[in-house]
Amino acid sequence: MPTPAHPGRMLFVNIPVADIERSKAFFAKLGFSYNPKFTDETAACMLVGEHAFVMLLSREKFAEFAKLPIADPTTHMLALYCFSVASRDEVDSVSAAALAAGGTEADDAEDYGFMYSRSFFDLDGHGWQVMWMDPAAAEQGPEAFAASMQDADAPA
């Protein structure tokens, strides 16, 4: 793979769920939609970004792809799924929607100034994090952003 990232690259994350319709309803309450061309009774293609998707697969469908036993997400953490939103307030509103839809809080809010996040477990126990990052910090990197903020605060 000579070019690690190219404009047309897509990301598909596949996760097993106990009930496709229940999971679709849960994530719809958080504002996600689905591509009907890749959604049926065994799978739902959840749109996360322009080229990023989460495939919610029935445990049976997931097992067709998996070469190892499926872990129980309520007892073993294999991954933390993180997605960004446009503001700190949206972090709180999406988190509140997850809890209202039956999810459970995973941790207290984390506030680093340039980045703010909250975590929850979905209905199957998968860990999710919703986060906002200051666009300047995302572009510069956290250390350069922190240095630029210190320079801005320094007396002239």
Side-chain angles (χ1 to χ4, degrees):
M1 188 165 46
T3 306
H6 62 81
R9 173 142 317 138
M10 296 185 285
L11 173 67
F12 291 87
V13 176
N14 299 280
I15 64 172
V17 299
D19 182 321
I20 295 291
E21 291 304 318
R22 180 181 79 152
S23 292
K24 282 173 52 181
F26 174 83
F27 287 106
K29 290 176 183 171
L30 278 59
F32 290 103
S33 61
Y34 302 91
N35 181 336
K37 294 177 186 172
F38 298 98
T39 298
D40 61 22
E41 64 280 349
T42 65
C45 181
M46 186 169 78
L47 308 172
V48 178
E50 186 175 350
H51 299 290
F53 312 89
V54 170
M55 294 298 298
L56 304 171
L57 302 175
S58 69
R59 293 181 67 78
E60 297 77 21
K61 184 71 161 182
F62 187 89
E64 292 176 20
F65 299 108
K67 303 300 180 219
L68 298 171
I70 300 172
D72 181 350
T74 64
T75 61
H76 293 81
M77 182 65 69
L78 188 57
L80 175 61
Y81 308 103
C82 180
F83 60 94
S84 64
V85 294
S87 69
R88 295 172 68 93
D89 288 342
E90 192 174 358
V91 168
D92 291 332
S93 64
V94 169
S95 267
L99 300 180
T104 57
E105 192 164 37
D107 202 357
D108 293 330
E110 296 183 41
D111 191 346
Y112 298 100
F114 70 93
M115 184 173 73
Y116 177 68
S117 66
R118 298 185 74 105
S119 301
F120 62 88
F121 295 110
D122 68 17
L123 302 176
D124 288 281
H126 298 289
W128 291 84
Q129 185 176 52
V130 55
M131 59 86 69
W132 165 85
M133 184 181 294
D134 184 298
E139 186 167 317
Q140 297 173 15
E143 290 177 10
F145 177 74
S148 72
M149 295 307 290
Q150 287 176 347
D151 292 343
D153 292 339

